[in-house]
């Protein structure tokens, strides 16, 4: 008996992803590190990495060391950077694999030095500076000490200096200029102390798009690669195309009379109208906060608002009194295309940001590649978020 696949799917247009990276690379003379953390923001890390490299990215970045170890098996020749690990982790396998790692505190320098000794090869390290996020990296008052410790530690090669922007998606605020200034000063301090980094990097997607002074040697686009604007604005205005289209066939269609309560709690009352059931719910990453709050889908090119509470596995839409839709007709939940809602539409309805709409899409939703191109391998259609991709 063949495998049974769920009726819904997230179509991943890898051709669009390649085009987005190409468009972003054209905005800068800096090297491009494509960020494929969180399973490629929910799009699939391996396919996203291949598509990004095809678009001109020369490096890849992920958050967790475990993500890096999984990804390097598929792209062993592309430099890979990871920046999150905890005390006590065995970092020797990552150092042995040539994965570049971050250090922003003395314990991390010591851990990487020990990992280098265990692996029998130097650890390639990017020193992290806290320029204003208060999240990671050495603060300005201890930065010179961290640099000195790293330069003196056995087995440590300081190949990068980096920091992260807090409010680059708000072009009107002065925070980014101040962070850039502080980071540039930190780079000067490190160089005077003897560091000779191969790369200096600060810019995320928003920095790349709107703050050219943040580009330095390397830029790290993330959300923009996937065709979504960091500030929730229209990606088309930035030359970007959304990469993911989430769709599902209606599992039920019914005509109901006036005064019909819908879903748990009867929080919405409709009719006379035609209702459709979409077989996706908050267990699949559809935000429950969007219930009866302006979210909608497209069915046959027509707008169908969500009514009632979004359930764990399903939600209901109002197809309209004159609808002739039938079970099996496809509802586009979000994605590129005329008349379709966007991830940003759902984010606004849920009171969140577009990042969460794609990254929280659950493992029950198959990712299906639509345009792989010559350099991207075909991937199994039934793979969900944060699970290994295996070519069929």
């Amino acid at each position: 008996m063949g495998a049974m696949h769920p009726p819904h799917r997230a179509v991943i247009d890898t051709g669009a992803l390649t085009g987005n990276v190409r468009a972003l690379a054209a905005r800068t003379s800096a090297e491009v590190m494509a960020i494929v953390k969180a399973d490629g923001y929910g799009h699939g890390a391996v396919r996203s990495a291949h598509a990004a490299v095809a678009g001109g990215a020369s490096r890849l970045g992920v958050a967790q060391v475990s993500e890096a170890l999984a990804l390097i098996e598929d792209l062993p020749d592309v430099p890979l950077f990871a920046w999150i690990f905890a005390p006590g982790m065995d970092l020797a396998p990552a150092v042995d694999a040539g994965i570049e790692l971050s250090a922003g505190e003395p314990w991390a320098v010591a851990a990487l030095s020990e990992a280098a000794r265990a692996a029998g090869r130097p650890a390639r390290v990017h020193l992290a500076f806290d320029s204003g996020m208060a999240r990671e990296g050495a603060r300005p008052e201890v930065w010179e000490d961290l640099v000195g410790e790293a330069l003196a530690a056995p087995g440590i090669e300081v190949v990068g200096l980096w920091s992260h922007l807090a409010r680059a998606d708000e072009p009107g605020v002065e925070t980014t200029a101040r962070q850039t200034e502080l980071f540039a000063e930190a780079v000067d301090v490190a160089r005077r102390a003897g560091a000779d980094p191969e790369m200096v990097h600060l810019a995320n997607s928003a920095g790349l798009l709107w703050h050219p002074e943040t580009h330095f040697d390397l830029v790290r686009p993330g959300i923009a690669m996937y065709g979504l604007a960091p500030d929730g604005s229209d990606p088309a205005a930035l030359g970007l195309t959304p990469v993911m289209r989430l769709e599902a066939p209606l599992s039920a269609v019914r005509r109901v009379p006036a005064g019909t309560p819908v879903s748990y709690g009867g929080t919405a009352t409709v009719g006379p109208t035609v209702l459709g059931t979409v077989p996706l719910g908050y267990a699949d990453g559809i935000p429950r906060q969007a219930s009866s709050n302006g979210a909608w889908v497209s069915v046959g090119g027509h707008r169908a608002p969500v009514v009632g509470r979004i359930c764990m596995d399903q939600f209901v839409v109002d197809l309209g009194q004159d609808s002739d839709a039938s079970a099996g007709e496809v509802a586009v939940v979000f994605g590129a295309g005329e008349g379709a809602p966007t991830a940003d539409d759902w984010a606004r309805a849920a009171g969140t940001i577009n990042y969460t709409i794609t990254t929280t899409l659950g493992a029950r939703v198959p990712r299906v590649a639509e345009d792989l191109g010559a350099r991207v391998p075909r991937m199994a259609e039934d793979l969900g978020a944060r699970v290994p991709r295996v070519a069929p």
Side-chain angles (χ1 to χ4, degrees):
M1 181 180 294
M4 182 174 292
H5 301 289
H8 47 263
R9 64 181 193 163
V11 179
I12 309 301
D13 185 350
T14 54
L17 199 156
T18 295
N20 290 337
V21 174
R22 190 173 291 125
L24 292 166
R27 290 174 171 264
T28 182
S29 60
E31 193 175 356
V32 175
M33 175 188 287
I35 304 302
V36 294
K37 64 179 180 176
D39 198 43
Y41 288 52
H43 296 69
V46 172
R47 67 165 60 90
S48 297
H50 278 284
V53 170
S58 57
R59 293 177 171 272
L60 300 169
V62 293
Q64 303 280 353
V65 171
S66 57
E67 294 178 289
L69 287 168
L71 186 59
I72 202 165
E73 296 180 9
D74 289 273
L75 296 103
D77 299 324
V78 182
L80 181 57
F81 174 53
W83 56 89
I84 296 178
F85 54 88
M89 287 182 63
D90 180 7
L91 300 173
V95 172
D96 185 56
I99 295 167
E100 298 173 3
L101 299 164
S102 174
E105 297 187 36
W107 71 260
V109 171
L112 289 169
S113 180
E114 172 57 27
R117 185 199 62 76
R121 63 178 292 180
R124 290 175 56 82
V125 177
H126 298 228
L127 297 182
F129 174 71
D130 179 7
S131 60
M133 280 281 282
R135 186 181 70 175
E136 60 204 346
R139 289 184 55 80
E141 60 268 22
V142 296
W143 170 247
E144 188 170 4
D145 292 339
L146 180 78
V147 172
E149 291 179 29
L151 293 176
I156 297 288
E157 289 184 357
V158 176
V159 299
L161 305 174
W162 76 291
S163 188
H164 193 62
L165 296 169
R167 300 179 67 182
D169 56 347
E170 303 173 70
V173 303
E174 298 179 359
T175 304
T176 300
R178 179 56 180 155
Q179 281 196 260
T180 305
E181 180 184 356
L182 284 172
F183 181 58
E185 292 171 359
V187 171
D188 288 342
V189 167
R191 285 182 167 145
R192 287 197 300 269
D196 185 21
E198 298 172 16
M199 66 207 90
V200 170
H201 50 110
L202 175 64
N204 53 8
S205 287
L208 168 54
L209 288 167
W210 297 307
H211 304 278
E213 71 279 7
T214 68
H215 292 190
F216 292 93
D217 304 318
L218 177 71
V219 293
R220 307 186 307 262
I223 193 69
M225 267 181 23
Y226 305 98
L228 299 173
D231 64 347
S233 62
D234 181 10
L238 301 170
L240 304 173
T241 301
V243 173
M244 180 186 290
R245 183 176 76 250
L246 178 62
E247 58 186 33
L250 297 174
S251 57
V253 175
R254 66 190 64 76
R255 188 170 294 277
V256 299
T260 298
V262 181
S263 194
Y264 288 117
T267 56
T269 302
V270 301
T273 192
V274 176
L275 298 178
T277 301
V278 180
L280 289 166
Y282 57 77
D284 304 296
I286 305 299
R288 189 175 185 272
Q289 298 91 329
S291 301
S292 296
N293 200 31
W296 56 284
V297 304
S298 177
V299 178
H302 300 289
R303 183 173 180 140
V306 174
V307 289
R309 289 178 179 164
I310 292 169
C311 309
M312 184 180 291
D313 313 292
Q314 305 171 82
F315 65 90
V316 179
V317 296
D318 189 342
L319 298 167
Q321 188 171 0
D322 299 325
S323 175
D324 60 358
S326 58
E329 190 161 349
V330 171
V332 179
V333 181
F334 64 79
E338 189 73 25
T342 66
D344 286 292
D345 290 323
W346 276 86
R348 283 187 285 271
T352 185
I353 56 176
N354 54 23
Y355 295 70
T356 69
I357 300 301
T358 63
T359 58
T360 60
L361 200 63
R364 296 195 303 186
V365 182
R367 274 60 162 177
V368 182
E370 184 174 75
D371 177 10
L372 296 175
R375 295 192 58 183
V376 185
R378 289 189 68 84
M379 306 305 295
E381 292 189 353
D382 58 346
L383 294 176
R386 290 185 181 270
V387 296
R389 265 53 179 171
V390 180

